Amino acid sequence: MSAEVFSESLQYPKMKQRAVSSRSFRTKISPSNSQSFSPGQTINVDLPGNLSGQYYNFSQMYLKVRLTTATHPAELDRAGIVSAIKRVQISQAGSQIYDLNNYNVLYTALLDTESNAEWRGSVGNIMTGTKGNSLGGETIGHTDAAVLSRTYCIPLVLNPLANTTPHRLIPAFSMSSIQFKITLDEQASFLKYASANAPTGVVFDEVEMVCLMTELSPQAQAMIDAQTGGVYNILANSYMNSTANVASGVSAVSANLGFSVSSLERILMVQRTSVDLADNTKFSIGNRIRNDLTEYSYQINSESYPQRPILVDAKSAEACAELLVAEHSLVDFRKGNNLNGGVVAASNPGQLSSFTGGDPSKHPSDYGQAVGSVPAGDNAGATVGPAAATANAVPSTIGTAVYGCEFETGLSDGKSSHIYSGVSTLASNVQALLKYDSAHVASQLDFFAQFSILLSLDMKGSGVFSVSV
């Protein structure tokens, strides 16, 4: 029998200890290639190196940007200003640390699954232009404004420097700058507007990377150097993207994904209608469809994950459960999301469940909808749904479907910061196997792999970060 102990509430000798001598301060870094950017251009921001004893805290950093339109208002996609970010690249001394294409698509999917309406309608709206339970973003360029502009602040997420496990500050004393390349999407992709009223003069300016820095005293930094031997190893989560195309009318698809990593943790998949990807009258980034998908699974060197395919039916309950398993949140009953955003209780039989609905094909057999119960034609992917229950509520025509698959073992139960246990896909063939009840429209598939990487900074060697996947 173990000895009896006091509860934490009675252990008075245990107190907080004073941290080592340090100071924190904020700095703003402007782009190195221009002061003003148009849709489709790339913003370059170089975070300086050679800052003795200083560290970046990426969980407390954000990108500040002003968006201006000269004429005509337009609606942002539902990720707000983040919908405008097509690609994010991070490198140092020519070595790639991170490169994610279709960043806005992944961000929107995770915004739907991991945030609640309260956040999107409050601080999310203030900082990035999201809108509560709506499936669209805010309108920019109100016609009654003297200047059709708005300033946003974008938290730097979904990159390994912000996703360290456990949390680590990033040394700013490496021998080279850390370079961010942020590529903006085309105007017709992240803005929705009538073709006759296309906004002109869309400009991103007043761009700043706002950094929270921590500086240690020389004595404290010497202690860290002694502990690490000058080698700073940081484990982090990263993402990569692979795309494939599905032709209309197919019943089965096999897509090679090219994911080669030592610890694959999960894969998220979304489908978007091909013809709507650059349609300025549609929410093309956030409109994720089911497209008559009936089951999906993955193969790694001919071994199936999971062993039996995940079924997708009219309500998609199994697909939703597997998505939550991949998020380690199946039994988190306080979790909020936007999978049924734009949907309210109404007497209108056409009211959709966005997670299973929103298919712009309006195929009568999709999601068990009765013929004629869903608006057809040009409104597909354009109607965000009602804000309140009414007898004549117009249903949303925007889908929120996202499909997940977990690859970690039960050893890392929950989001562990101590161990990782994903599947190795090094020198392996990773395939997605999909079955359809005759895919009704041509679509683009986006697969996003989450995996673990090791960032290593050897100050006695190269003095710059190296990446091991």
Side-chain angles (χ1 to χ4, degrees):
M1 180 72 67
S2 60
E4 295 179 341
V5 297
F6 290 109
S7 72
E8 287 290 332
S9 302
L10 296 173
Q11 296 198 25
Y12 298 101
K14 289 188 176 181
M15 300 175 63
K16 280 187 175 181
Q17 294 181 306
R18 186 174 181 82
V20 296
S21 178
S22 63
R23 73 183 184 103
S24 292
F25 59 94
R26 189 178 67 158
T27 184
K28 295 183 176 181
I29 302 172
S30 298
S32 59
N33 59 330
S34 182
Q35 297 299 316
S36 179
F37 303 88
S38 300
Q41 294 184 334
T42 299
I43 302 170
N44 294 343
V45 180
D46 298 337
L47 305 185
N50 292 295
L51 302 178
S52 179
Q54 295 185 26
Y55 296 80
Y56 293 105
N57 186 350
F58 276 84
S59 65
Q60 302 294 327
M61 293 172 60
Y62 58 90
L63 184 71
K64 180 181 175 183
V65 59
R66 184 177 71 172
L67 175 59
T68 301
T69 61
T71 60
H72 301 301
E75 292 179 81
L76 289 164
D77 212 306
R78 70 173 171 276
I81 189 61
V82 189
S83 302
I85 299 179
K86 173 69 172 178
R87 183 181 183 184
V88 176
Q89 299 164 274
I90 305 175
S91 62
Q92 187 179 47
S95 177
Q96 178 179 293
I97 296 175
Y98 172 76
D99 185 358
L100 181 63
N101 193 32
N102 292 320
Y103 178 94
N104 46 6
V105 178
L106 175 61
Y107 183 97
T108 305
L110 294 181
L111 189 72
D112 287 341
T113 61
E114 298 188 8
S115 71
N116 55 40
E118 288 74 17
W119 185 91
R120 292 187 299 274
S122 55
V123 294
N125 174 264
I126 295 169
M127 291 194 304
T128 64
T130 56
K131 285 178 63 178
N133 200 40
S134 173
L135 293 179
E138 72 176 9
T139 299
I140 63 166
H142 296 284
T143 55
D144 58 352
V147 179
L148 308 180
S149 65
R150 160 88 146 92
T151 298
Y152 299 92
C153 292
I154 306 170
L156 297 177
V157 296
L158 305 184
N159 71 77
L161 301 182
N163 292 343
T164 57
T165 54
H167 175 66
R168 292 287 185 265
L169 299 180
I170 303 299
F173 45 79
S174 57
M175 303 301 292
S176 180
S177 62
I178 298 175
Q179 300 167 324
F180 275 74
K181 292 183 180 292
I182 301 170
T183 302
L184 302 173
D185 212 335
E186 297 298 334
Q187 176 175 313
S189 294
F190 69 88
L191 290 178
K192 174 182 172 288
Y193 51 88
S195 298
N197 295 313
T200 60
V202 178
V203 173
F204 298 80
D205 60 6
E206 297 187 2
V207 181
E208 295 175 327
M209 188 81 82
V210 183
C211 309
L212 181 67
M213 309 293 295
T214 298
E215 182 178 14
L216 301 183
S217 66
Q219 296 79 10
Q221 182 59 43
M223 293 171 58
I224 298 294
D225 288 336
Q227 290 176 357
T228 62
V231 179
Y232 296 80
N233 291 322
I234 302 171
L235 196 68
N237 283 329
S238 189
Y239 292 91
M240 66 173 64
N241 170 241
S242 180
T243 62
N245 292 298
V246 173
S248 62
V250 302
S251 58
V253 172
S254 175
N256 292 319
L257 304 183
F259 296 146
S260 181
V261 296
S262 62
S263 181
L264 176 63
E265 298 177 5
R266 66 171 173 168
I267 295 178
L268 300 177
M269 181 195 73
V270 303
Q271 304 180 95
R272 297 179 296 150
T273 309
S274 298
V275 296
D276 289 348
L277 294 183
D279 188 338
N280 57 269
T281 66
K282 310 292 177 63
F283 290 109
S284 56
I285 295 171
N287 182 30
R288 305 187 301 268
I289 63 176
R290 176 191 166 201
N291 203 23
D292 279 336
L293 180 69
T294 58
E295 64 178 58
Y296 68 96
S297 63
Y298 297 89
Q299 279 192 349
I300 301 176
N301 288 343
S302 300
E303 182 176 353
S304 296
Y305 292 85
Q307 292 187 344
R308 300 185 66 178
I310 298 169
L311 302 181
V312 184
D313 56 18
K315 287 296 184 180
S316 294
E318 182 176 340
C320 185
E322 291 294 335
L323 174 64
L324 295 179
V325 168
E327 291 183 353
H328 305 153
S329 60
L330 180 64
V331 293
D332 183 359
F333 298 129
R334 295 174 296 179
K335 179 180 176 63
N337 60 55
N338 200 35
L339 294 180
N340 273 347
V343 176
V344 295
S347 60
N348 184 350
Q351 199 71 17
L352 290 179
S353 168
S354 299
F355 183 61
T356 57
D359 189 333
S361 67
K362 303 301 171 292
H363 191 263
S365 66
D366 276 355
Y367 326 128
Q369 298 296 326
V371 176
S373 67
V374 183
D378 294 338
N379 285 332
T383 306
V384 298
T390 63
N392 297 316
V394 177
S396 167
T397 61
I398 300 171
T400 63
V402 53
Y403 303 101
C405 185
E406 170 78 326
F407 289 88
E408 282 194 292
T409 71
L411 292 176
S412 56
D413 184 42
K415 295 182 179 180
S416 174
S417 62
H418 304 290
I419 61 175
Y420 59 97
S421 59
V423 174
S424 174
T425 64
L426 295 175
S428 300
N429 183 27
V430 181
Q431 291 182 305
L433 305 179
L434 315 174
K435 289 188 178 180
Y436 293 85
D437 182 14
S438 182
H440 195 64
V441 294
S443 62
Q444 176 177 301
L445 307 181
D446 278 289
F447 300 88
F448 296 96
Q450 179 180 334
F451 58 99
S452 293
I453 68 170
L454 177 66
L455 294 168
S456 184
L457 174 62
D458 185 356
M459 292 305 297
K460 296 181 179 179
S462 65
V464 296
F465 280 102
S466 62
V467 178
S468 302
V469 298

